[in-house]
Amino acid sequence: MTDLLPVDGYLVESLPEVWFAVVVFALGMYVVLDGFDFGIGMLYATREEEDRETLLAAFGPVWDANEVWLVAFGTMLLAAFPPVYSRLLADNYLLVTGFVLALLFRGVAPELREQREDEDWQRAFDRLFVAGSTLAPLLFGVLAGRWVFDVPALSAPALLTGVGLVAVSVATGAAFLAAKTEPALAAELRDYGVLATLGYLGGVVALLATVVATDAGGAAGTVLSAPAAAVVGLSVLAGLVGVVLARRGQYRRWLASALALPALLSVLLGLLLYPQVYPPTGLTVRAAVVSPLALNLVTVMGLPVLLLVLWYFKFLYGVFSGPVSGSYGG
Amino acid sequence: MTATVSLAVAGWVALLPPELASRAQFGWTISVHILFAALSVGLAPFIVYFTWKAVRTGDERFARLRSFWTKVFAVGFVMGTVTGIPMSFQFGTNFPRFAEVAGELIGGPLAFEAKMAFFLEAVFLGVLLFGRERVSDRTYVLSAVLVGVGAWLSGFWILVVNAWMQTPQGFELVARNGMDVAVLTDPVAAFLTPRLSWMYVHMVNASVISVALLVGGVSAYVVWKKRDAAAWRTALKIAVLVLVVSAPLQAVHGDAYGRHVEDTQPQKFAAMEAHYETGQADLHLFAVPRDPSALTDPRAENLFTISLPGLGSFLASGGDASAEVLGLNEYEQNPPVALVFWSFRAMVGLGFLFIGLALWGAWRLYRGRLADSDRFLKAMMVTSPLGYGALLTGWYVTEIGRQPWVIQDVLKTSEAVSRSLTSFEATATLVGFVVVYVALIAAALLVLKWLVEEELAELGAVDPPNAGRDYLPWVGGDD
């Protein structure tokens, strides 16, 4: 193994930066995919019983696989940048614990709801499902805000990031459901999606204005740089195009433009961080990265598997493409 | 587990030190998680077999078993997922110095676990649970196989990490960012540590035993309620056959594993036998406390034991009854000996109970009267949760026995704990996890109970004439 892998240098000179990109990519996959699961969970609160089964049937086959991207993100962060993983989590103890408990409620609630035909039982788990689906993106967003901008949890940049993640999750959740359900339900969900999209765009602009005004985490310069401005511009464009497509009833295209929003948000996060990986201690990519041998190893053993994983998802979404059918529990 | 619950109760009253609360929380959350993880690992081969038989032969018996156990698997898998996510973050929240020191060594395997195993399991379980109408028979059976492969692979990668913590190698310590961190020097040595194969075989087999006992217990219950339930008579037979192979194998394997522990972690081995003085070690076949102090301090003078003189030495050295075995007095700091000593005895005792049960079942099966004896059926029911008892106590021996080290001879647990964690934070989350997880376990048992009741209703079971009480521990109540 050591004969095959260089010990004293990276396989390619920019491998640490490549891994920074890989970690941000996994985070992006998580925010995009589990984001619409959260959206389904929040929109669930607006539905009556007959629609709820449809929402759960849309959510059921995919949420678990989507959630694994969180574990992929966390473990790859640990594998490539151990000090960042340790400090990010230790510095945000209650936030992280609250987030994983919210995920726990979100995950078990639909499963347990379906076990009993009893109304009180089902209502209790419905509430738990909605609460978990709302709190998880809120807390995760606050965590991301603290990470990038080095601000307290109860500050404008952190809270705006949290609310922004909630809004964008509702937008993608609505688009996903609209593309997969019958027209009457889709039309009702569309309005929530349009509102959430506009709210999200407003939130992003407010967030960046706050960051520029306060120079939180020293990110003001980056916000005004060309790449970040381009990402923000693209977000506004994708959001507005999505609103138009939604109004026209072109739901599949709307879904594509809606999914671009959380993806662009993750790119923005990467841009605002780089070259640092952990602004609170000023750790840079190069200072935090593991030794060449370790990084070369996770590259040759891990990256090909990541491509295979993308194929799994293509297969999974292929199997469950088209309109939602059945109910939760198969 | 009881210790953690009492700590959590104490936490309501007073704040606990961060280290104690963190250790209790980690021990508690991993204990609950491993129940569901082992369910996935042990049940996966059963699911594959039932699915394959059902699809291949169209036999109604196997379709019924597949449907029932896939529901159990689904609930267990969701519980395993939601309890597993906190695990993957607790290294950072509660033991960040461990994550930073060991990150280069454990990060790779943990990331491989996510990428090679979790995705496989989660994606194809989606197909298995929701896709029966959407994929071909062949793809459907393949999905069952891939879910099983995912479960077994995730066990492999997580044990790569744990085995490295027990017998660390393939690294050197280098100062970085103000602490000595482990830097990878030899990936093969670091991944394939001496402990790995022992641990993996022992754990997979323990999972299979636990699930075979669970399947056997549920089958016995259904057959007891409904004598002519063909599917469940078959399931009972399969469970007994699996036990006949796996239970004796665990004892033989465990014996050799014990010798390996003595070679690599003599302090843990001494704690397992409460062996204080270096010298000849006896083997306590059987130990009963003479007075309550033995429960917390199991020393020879306050135990009533049936021992085989020199056999401890004999086993540890592989044949020399007077071989010297290191005693606990050699060390500055020892693990909580009582927990390790009694856990080890509970595990071994349960293991022999399972062998006895397996042989009894095999004898009845050989006579062709497996399901005819109420006494045997009731024994299967009562034993059904005990596989998990053996599995947990086995892990307590392994993990508590490694203390004070989190990485053997490299990093102490006390040094691994977060410095910024407050007593309030640590205690609050401990109490939270205890409350939530107790509710989760209760929910899981309720669901299992309902599934069994639903199955009985579908089979049109009537109460047997001698139904004074129910023997399935989680199907209590009076009917």
Side-chain angles (χ1 to χ4, degrees), chain B residues 303-314:
Chain B
L303 288 172
F304 171 77
T305 57
I306 299 174
S307 308
L308 296 171
L311 194 68
S313 296
F314 184 87

Side-chain angles (χ1 to χ4, degrees), chain A residues 74-133:
Chain A
T75 52
M76 288 200 288
L77 185 66
L78 173 63
F81 308 105
V84 180
Y85 167 94
S86 341
R87 287 164 207 193
L88 177 66
L89 295 174
D91 293 350
N92 294 286
Y93 187 81
L94 291 179
L95 258 184
V96 171
T97 309
F99 167 62
V100 296
L101 285 173
L103 280 182
L104 182 146
F105 293 134
R106 188 280 301 255
V108 294
E111 188 67 41
L112 292 173
R113 174 194 202 268
E114 294 302 301
Q115 302 292 341
R116 255 297 177 255
E117 284 298 325
D118 175 77
E119 193 154 330
D120 292 342
W121 171 271
Q122 295 201 334
R123 285 304 77 81
F125 285 107
D126 286 345
R127 287 195 193 98
L128 210 54
F129 182 49
V130 174
S133 299

